[in-house]
Amino acid sequence: MNPVFFRAILKNIKKFSFLAVMFLSASFAFSENFRVRKIIPISLSEINEKVTVESGINDALFVTLPADLTYVSGLELNLKVPEEIVTWRDSVAYMLYEKLSPAPNEKKLNYSGERLHVETIPGNFSLTIYIPISDDFAIKDSPYSVKLPSVKSAVSDGIFLRFMMVMKGVPEALENSILEISAKPVLKNEGMLNLSVNLPSQSSDDTKYSVFIDDKPVQNLNRKFLSTGEHHLSVVSDSFRNELRTFRIEQAKTTNLSVQLRGIEPLLKILCPKDAQVFVDGSPVPQNQQEGYQVSQGEHTVKLVFSDYEIVKTVSAQKGRTYSVNLNVDATITEED
């Protein structure tokens, strides 16, 4: 029999036997005792942090996540697989544990823990492993990655991943091979809206208004989590003008939005040169009030005086409306015969 063909059959038999044993043992909840060659600690203190380490066969990673997990849904591990492991595919397995005893420490090598998952490294030069820690982990399975079971205890205890040689008769170069591993948090595809709605100074605190985001009513304005992208806000009230805003939510960031409610009394926006004088119903309008001059409902006379020009207009004002009064002073040039 061809030696290469025989070795391939032997590798498949060993792989099948190993996975069969692991599958049967994983079918029962138990505490497994094992020993590692070395503990490699990875501390991710920031949600955007990335840490790269090197791990040998029979080593274990112990990853602690940021203290604030508001936007964190899991852990991503990117493995650069050396040629020896690629050649001898399925010769090295990785195992995910929880409920470790004692607590992982670089000085301790003997542990017991409950194994959640076991799988061999395939014959690829790279492998991405995702480990969820929450139910809203959004990354889907793909041919280029593996998603392991969720580790809820990782929030407080960290994540423990062990490597192990599972094939005998391998060359020494394989036993001494090194994996380059990069770890970073997986962020939720959402951010937070910090919304404040401010009433006019003369309004009572019990004045009613309703808030809608993307046409859906919002009850609690504090710490409102939304998907990333563009959103639409509307504040509706019988006592104030309706306010409309468009805003964007960025991943893992807080967007601050403040909405000042305005009364439903009619407003005049007067656009004119700085030297012009403005009168409404005979009363002068200060320049700092011309962007929003409040009037009562009904007929009003607006007079604009600029140099030797005087223009008088009448406005029929209704509640909840804003009217623009624009004074255009222009010059025309014509050619005469």
Side-chain angles (χ1 to χ4, degrees):
M1 179 180 293
N2 187 305
V4 176
F5 180 69
F6 176 78
R7 190 176 71 174
I9 294 177
L10 181 61
K11 285 171 62 177
N12 288 332
I13 292 175
K14 289 179 178 179
K15 175 189 173 185
F16 173 78
S17 301
F18 167 74
L19 292 178
V21 171
M22 290 301 178
F23 174 77
L24 291 175
S25 62
S27 301
F28 305 93
F30 70 102
S31 183
E32 173 186 329
N33 296 316
F34 58 90
R35 180 181 176 85
V36 299
R37 187 181 70 93
K38 183 173 63 175
I39 294 290
I40 302 173
I42 299 177
S43 177
L44 299 172
S45 57
E46 303 291 337
I47 62 173
N48 294 313
E49 187 174 6
K50 179 180 179 180
V51 175
T52 301
V53 298
E54 291 185 344
S55 172
I57 310 303
N58 300 318
D59 291 345
L61 304 179
F62 180 60
V63 186
T64 53
L65 297 170
D68 185 1
L69 296 175
T70 302
Y71 297 114
V72 178
S73 65
L75 174 69
E76 177 183 317
L77 297 173
N78 291 296
L79 279 62
K80 288 187 178 180
V81 184
E83 184 176 355
E84 295 82 8
I85 297 179
V86 174
T87 302
W88 289 78
R89 61 173 300 161
D90 303 314
S91 60
V92 178
Y94 54 93
M95 306 175 191
L96 179 65
Y97 290 87
E98 68 173 355
K99 301 179 182 178
L100 272 296
S101 179
N105 187 297
E106 292 181 78
K107 298 180 180 180
K108 298 175 182 178
L109 303 179
N110 296 304
Y111 295 93
S112 65
E114 184 174 320
R115 187 188 331 116
L116 298 179
H117 185 83
V118 58
E119 194 163 342
T120 57
I121 297 177
N124 301 325
F125 285 99
S126 64
L127 174 66
T128 300
I129 299 174
Y130 292 110
I131 305 174
I133 65 168
S134 65
D135 295 332
D136 53 359
F137 187 85
I139 296 179
K140 298 181 180 179
D141 296 329
S142 78
Y144 309 101
S145 64
V146 177
K147 185 169 70 174
L148 305 191
S150 178
V151 183
K152 299 296 181 61
S153 61
V155 174
S156 57
D157 299 336
I159 294 176
F160 191 95
L161 191 75
R162 170 194 176 201
F163 297 98
M164 177 182 174
M165 183 74 69
V166 294
M167 185 181 294
K168 295 183 178 180
V170 299
E172 184 178 353
L174 174 59
E175 295 180 348
N176 297 328
S177 58
I178 299 295
L179 291 159
E180 182 180 310
I181 304 172
S182 297
K184 65 178 182 179
V186 176
L187 302 182
K188 300 175 183 177
N189 191 31
E190 64 181 18
M192 187 172 69
L193 174 66
N194 181 25
L195 174 65
S196 61
V197 179
N198 305 310
L199 301 177
S201 57
Q202 68 274 17
S203 302
S204 60
D205 293 337
D206 59 351
T207 305
K208 303 293 184 181
Y209 60 86
S210 299
V211 177
F212 297 84
I213 296 179
D214 300 330
D215 298 325
K216 296 180 180 179
V218 177
Q219 302 298 329
N220 185 11
L221 301 185
N222 296 325
R223 294 175 60 86
K224 181 65 178 177
F225 291 96
L226 299 169
S227 60
T228 58
E230 187 175 272
H231 295 272
H232 304 280
L233 169 79
S234 58
V235 183
V236 180
S237 173
D238 292 334
S239 303
F240 305 104
R241 293 168 180 263
N242 294 340
E243 300 290 342
L244 304 177
R245 301 287 189 277
T246 298
F247 61 95
R248 292 192 63 83
I249 291 293
E250 297 184 39
Q251 185 180 36
K253 293 184 179 180
T254 298
T255 299
N256 296 310
L257 179 61
S258 178
V259 177
Q260 177 65 54
L261 296 184
R262 301 171 297 168
I264 59 175
E265 294 79 6
L267 293 178
L268 298 181
K269 292 180 65 176
I270 302 169
L271 307 175
C272 61
K274 292 183 178 180
D275 295 337
Q277 294 178 289
V278 180
F279 301 86
V280 174
D281 298 330
S283 299
V285 178
Q287 188 173 356
N288 59 0
Q289 297 182 20
Q290 293 178 9
E291 284 294 319
Y293 186 74
Q294 181 178 307
V295 296
S296 60
Q297 180 171 289
E299 297 287 333
H300 297 276
T301 300
V302 181
K303 183 172 70 173
L304 300 103
V305 179
F306 180 68
S307 186
D308 295 332
Y309 295 93
E310 181 177 305
I311 301 174
V312 178
K313 295 290 184 180
T314 300
V315 178
S316 181
Q318 299 182 15
K319 287 187 177 180
R321 300 293 181 87
T322 299
Y323 301 89
S324 294
V325 181
N326 190 359
L327 173 61
N328 290 319
V329 179
D330 199 0
T332 61
I333 300 176
T334 60
E335 181 178 351
E336 296 182 358
D337 294 335

